[in-house]
Amino acid sequence: MSFETVSQSRCCGGTQFVYRHDSRETGTPMRLAVFVPPQAETGKVPVVWFLSGLTCTEENFTVKAGAQRVAAELGLILIAPDTSPRGEGVPDDPEGAYDFGLGAGFYLDATEAPWARNYRMRSYLERELPGLVAEALPADMTRQGITGHSMGGHGALTLALRDPGRFKAISAFAPIASPMNCPWGEKALTHYIGPDRSAWREYDACALIEGGARLPDLLVDQGTADGFLDSQLKPRLLEEACARAGQPLTLRMQDGYDHSYFFIATFIEDHLRWHAERLGP
């Protein structure tokens, strides 16, 4: 299976692609945005994955974060997948809510009907898509980093904690730190996984850390003017879990910043340099 090129544009000396492919995991077409830096013309280069938040597609990070300039300087491939399966027959929130269903896959494998057939973003990102990337792109899969925003920050943390050997650098922007303890997460986990809260723990960064999972280190930025800070994101739960476990964490509370892509655009350079330092030349 190969990628179909939807679009490509010269950008910062490299190329910004949008690809499409048919996914065996989700049973749907899937899209992803990929920036390939100029250094890839002479060999494989490190990869940084960006997982987006609620309501987003592969486009949001690609057009709003301004990440390509720094990625081109540092020689990083940027991969931004979609946030959920989409297409005819894919179930959505019957009330049309933004925090569940289409655009809100929560980077898990659903087990409850009718979601289990298509909502398999965990397996898609852990198994299927990395294999396709390794085959189709000049990506050094021994040097991978991952980051994400909000729901995508939750996805980045949990993917990395479940597979600590895969990612050499991990960061997040305003992640949902403990989905088990916030309305967004409780709604998604109940519907996708079922009412047994013990089954939710593998999708909660704080629970995974409490259970013994570890990362080499972790960078998290959080805006103090974020309207979701206290109700949904709860970074102090992550800070407390890391402190109890001895898990290295750099939590930066950024004064006056909200939940928007203006926040991400401000600090994306810091994060990409963090990743580049850990992924090596």
Side-chain angles (χ1 to χ4, degrees):
M1 186 182 300
S2 60
F3 293 138
E4 170 191 348
T5 301
V6 176
S7 66
Q8 67 180 84
S9 300
R10 193 72 171 158
C11 181
C12 299
T15 306
Q16 180 65 60
F17 294 93
V18 175
Y19 292 122
R20 175 197 176 280
H21 73 100
D22 292 325
S23 169
R24 67 172 183 270
E25 290 291 349
T26 68
T28 67
M30 294 295 293
R31 289 165 59 112
L32 63 152
V34 178
F35 174 72
V36 178
Q39 294 86 340
E41 295 176 3
T42 58
K44 293 185 176 182
V45 295
V47 177
V48 176
W49 300 78
F50 185 93
L51 305 186
S52 294
L54 292 166
T55 76
C56 292
T57 69
E58 78 288 343
E59 183 179 44
N60 298 72
F61 172 74
T62 304
V63 303
K64 293 182 177 180
Q68 292 91 341
R69 176 186 59 81
V70 181
E73 175 194 337
L74 299 174
L76 301 172
I77 289 179
L78 301 179
I79 301 177
D82 201 350
T83 54
S84 79
R86 301 177 194 272
E88 185 176 354
V90 176
D92 193 9
D93 189 302
E95 298 180 357
Y98 75 92
D99 58 357
F100 184 72
L102 298 182
F106 269 83
Y107 303 103
L108 51 74
D109 282 355
T111 57
E112 297 291 298
W115 318 103
R117 171 65 188 90
N118 303 116
Y119 284 79
R120 294 184 53 79
M121 293 300 292
R122 172 182 177 175
S123 289
Y124 176 67
L125 289 170
E126 286 183 347
R127 297 198 297 268
E128 183 178 13
L129 189 55
L132 296 175
V133 165
E135 292 176 4
L137 300 177
D140 183 350
M141 301 301 280
T142 68
R143 294 187 289 165
Q144 296 184 67
I146 191 167
T147 185
H149 173 230
S150 194
M151 178 186 72
H154 139 74
L157 296 181
T158 55
L159 261 71
L161 284 162
R162 290 193 304 263
D163 189 2
R166 176 179 170 188
F167 300 104
K168 297 183 182 298
I170 305 95
S171 69
F173 296 85
I176 302 173
S178 183
M180 295 178 67
N181 293 292
C182 74
W184 281 342
E186 290 179 351
K187 177 179 178 178
L189 293 168
T190 298
H191 286 85
Y192 288 137
I193 306 296
D196 180 3
R197 293 180 67 91
S198 66
W200 298 3
R201 294 182 64 83
E202 61 188 305
Y203 298 113
D204 185 292
C206 294
L208 287 166
I209 291 168
E210 290 167 0
R214 296 290 182 271
L215 301 171
D217 53 14
L218 175 59
L219 170 65
V220 172
D221 273 319
Q222 171 65 62
T224 62
D226 191 321
F228 303 113
L229 175 60
D230 296 324
S231 61
Q232 304 283 9
L233 306 175
K234 303 186 177 183
R236 296 306 178 192
L237 294 181
L238 179 64
E239 185 176 44
E240 292 165 6
C242 288
R244 288 192 298 269
Q247 164 64 54
L249 167 66
T250 300
L251 173 60
R252 307 193 306 183
M253 301 301 295
Q254 303 291 2
D255 187 44
Y257 285 89
D258 60 18
H259 201 64
S260 72
Y261 266 84
F262 295 113
F263 161 61
I264 297 171
T266 301
F267 299 106
I268 189 63
E269 180 169 353
D270 289 357
H271 282 244
L272 292 181
R273 293 192 184 282
W274 165 281
H275 284 261
E277 289 174 2
R278 287 154 181 78
L279 297 176

